[in-house]
């Protein structure tokens, strides 16, 4: 079948009393136009035959010729619409978009030239774009994958990202309700941030996130700052340090070897050393008579000390 060429749609503004002769000439022009259309269609049907020597009339030339002839007859012919791209009258199908009219084949993407037709399009500065080109040209870019963000945009750390591309820099998990923490310009989940960057308790070596004590060149959970040996807290507020660890007075002196062998309490002032042990002066007494001992008269028996007289009486 041979496609038909649509006859240009014209709005004719006729004089109030057109002359009969002019009307007859108009009818003749329309008949000539139809005859020309038939000849043009026949020429297309015989496209396999040798080329004709005479050029085929174009629709634009036909339309221009008809308009000129009508004007000579005193009849003003105004096209129904003009294409926004080629600025020529539109004969046949008209596409209306962006407040203007277009030949359907002239309504194309301003970037790639693809015909938009009935597919969705985007507008920018009065120009139409296909979906792909619009996003490539104007959509914000994801800081992680550098691709255009077509739907939801997540903005954080002065960057835009796809929501699924905003995750912990260490474990890669997308952030949930706990949010995120920043170190060195990178986002981290709370668990990884604390494990990697929070100060550690000197007692339990876990991250310190709440209240803390600062002592012995480090930080401590309050419940972890206790005597290393008996695990008792320091109610008086004072403690003793030995090799970087805190001790109560009793266990500090015990480790130092400064416990009175007589009473079992720390020796903090004057002390007497005898038989490799330390004593408060008042506790350096004879085991039997409990009288104070004098170094020159001390006798030892079974890790106990005796004065000379008691030793001789008991063991000689």
């Amino acid at each position: 079948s041979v496609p038909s060429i649509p006859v240009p749609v014209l709005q004719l503004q006729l004089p109030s009393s057109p002359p009969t002769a002019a009307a007859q000439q108009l009818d003749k022009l329309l008949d000539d136009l139809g005859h020309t259309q038939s000849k043009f269609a026949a020429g297309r049907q015989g496209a396999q035959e040798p080329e004709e020597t005479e050029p085929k009339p174009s629709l634009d030339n036909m339309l221009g010729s008809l308009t000129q002839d009508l004007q000579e007859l005193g009849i003003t012919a105004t096209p129904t619409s003009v294409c926004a791209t080629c600025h020529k009258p539109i004969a046949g199908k008209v596409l209306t978009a962006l407040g203007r009219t277009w030949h359907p084949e002239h309504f194309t993407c301003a970037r790639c030239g693809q015909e938009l037709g009935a597919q969705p399009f985007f507008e920018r500065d009065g120009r139409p774009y296909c979906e792909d080109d619009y996003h490539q040209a104007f959509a914000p870019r994801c800081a992680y994958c550098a691709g255009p963000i077509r739907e939801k945009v997540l903005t954080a750390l002065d960057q835009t990202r796809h929501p699924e591309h905003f995750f912990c820099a260490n474990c890669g998990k997308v952030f949930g309700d706990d949010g995120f923490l920043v170190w060195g310009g990178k986002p981290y989940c709370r668990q990884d941030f604390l494990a990697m960057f929070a100060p550690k308790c000197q007692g339990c070596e876990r991250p310190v996130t709440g209240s803390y004590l600062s002592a012995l060149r480090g930080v401590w959970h309050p419940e972890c700052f206790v005597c290393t040996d008996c695990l008792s807290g320091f109610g008086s507020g004072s403690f003793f340090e030995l090799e970087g660890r805190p001790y109560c007075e009793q266990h500090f002196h015990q480790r130092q070897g400064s416990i009175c062998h007589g009473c079992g309490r720390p020796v903090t002032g004057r002390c007497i050393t005898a038989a490799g042990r330390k004593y408060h002066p008042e506790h350096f007494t004879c085991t039997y008579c409990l009288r104070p001992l004098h170094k020159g008269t001390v006798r030892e028996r079974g890790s106990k000390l005796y004065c000379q007289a008691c030793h001789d009486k008991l063991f000689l």
Side-chain angles (χ1 to χ4, degrees):
S1 62
V2 179
S4 62
I5 299 177
V7 177
V9 179
L10 303 176
Q11 292 179 342
L12 304 181
Q13 298 179 357
L14 302 177
S16 56
S17 299
T20 302
Q24 292 175 350
Q25 292 183 35
L26 175 59
D27 291 340
K28 184 177 183 301
L29 285 172
L30 293 176
D31 289 341
D32 290 343
L33 180 59
H35 178 66
T36 303
Q37 177 180 346
S38 299
K39 288 176 61 180
F40 183 64
R44 292 187 62 178
Q45 187 175 11
Q48 302 296 333
E49 299 176 0
E51 295 183 359
E52 299 178 1
T53 56
E54 295 184 1
K56 299 176 182 179
S58 69
L59 183 60
D60 289 337
N61 290 337
M62 294 164 55
L63 183 60
S65 176
L66 175 60
T67 302
Q68 183 178 359
D69 290 342
L70 290 174
Q71 289 176 346
E72 291 177 356
L73 294 174
I75 301 173
T76 302
T78 304
T80 57
S81 52
V82 175
C83 177
T85 296
C86 67
H87 307 294
K88 294 181 179 179
I90 301 175
K93 291 183 178 180
V94 178
L95 191 151
T96 302
L98 306 180
R100 289 169 287 176
T101 55
W102 317 70
H103 289 110
E105 64 274 16
H106 289 166
F107 187 64
T108 58
C109 172
R111 196 162 186 255
C112 69
Q114 173 189 355
E115 287 189 26
L116 297 176
Q119 66 176 302
F121 68 91
F122 293 81
E123 179 268 343
R124 179 85 173 200
D125 298 329
R127 305 176 72 190
Y129 293 85
C130 66
E131 185 174 2
D132 286 341
D133 282 333
Y134 178 85
H135 288 300
Q136 289 293 336
F138 306 113
R141 295 278 168 171
C142 176
Y144 175 74
C145 69
I149 304 176
R150 296 172 178 258
E151 296 180 2
K152 292 183 179 180
V153 179
L154 189 151
T155 302
L157 305 179
D158 298 325
Q159 297 175 328
T160 55
R161 296 181 183 236
H162 295 106
E164 64 273 17
H165 287 165
F166 189 57
F167 45 73
C168 175
N170 184 60
C171 69
K173 293 174 66 175
V174 176
F175 299 117
D177 296 336
D178 289 340
F180 64 95
L181 299 168
V182 180
W183 185 271
K186 296 181 179 180
Y188 295 87
C189 66
R190 179 180 176 82
Q191 180 177 352
D192 285 343
F193 179 88
L194 295 178
M196 296 171 68
F197 308 116
K200 304 298 188 299
C201 173
Q202 296 285 87
C204 66
E205 298 185 355
R206 289 183 290 110
V208 176
T209 59
S211 60
Y212 64 92
L213 295 175
S214 180
L216 305 179
R217 297 172 297 280
V219 294
W220 307 71
H221 295 113
E223 64 274 15
C224 293
F225 191 63
V226 294
C227 173
T228 303
D229 280 351
C230 67
L231 303 182
S232 298
F234 306 111
S236 64
S238 62
F239 63 93
F240 293 80
E241 177 188 359
L242 182 62
E243 297 178 352
R245 306 301 297 178
Y247 292 87
C248 65
E249 184 180 20
Q250 178 74 18
H251 289 98
F252 172 79
H253 286 288
Q254 187 173 329
R255 286 194 172 240
Q256 289 287 81
S258 56
I259 295 295
C260 175
H261 190 70
C263 68
R265 297 183 61 78
V267 179
T268 58
R270 292 176 57 224
C271 73
I272 296 175
T273 302
R277 296 185 291 269
K278 294 184 179 181
Y279 296 85
H280 293 110
E282 63 272 20
H283 295 153
F284 188 57
T285 59
C286 174
T287 303
Y288 185 72
C289 69
L290 301 181
R291 292 176 182 178
L293 294 171
H294 301 284
K295 282 193 174 183
T297 61
V298 176
R299 297 290 181 269
E300 181 179 6
R301 189 83 173 193
S303 75
K304 294 181 180 180
L305 300 181
Y306 297 89
C307 64
Q308 180 72 49
C310 290
H311 179 270
D312 293 345
K313 182 193 303 186
L314 294 171
F315 305 111
L316 295 180

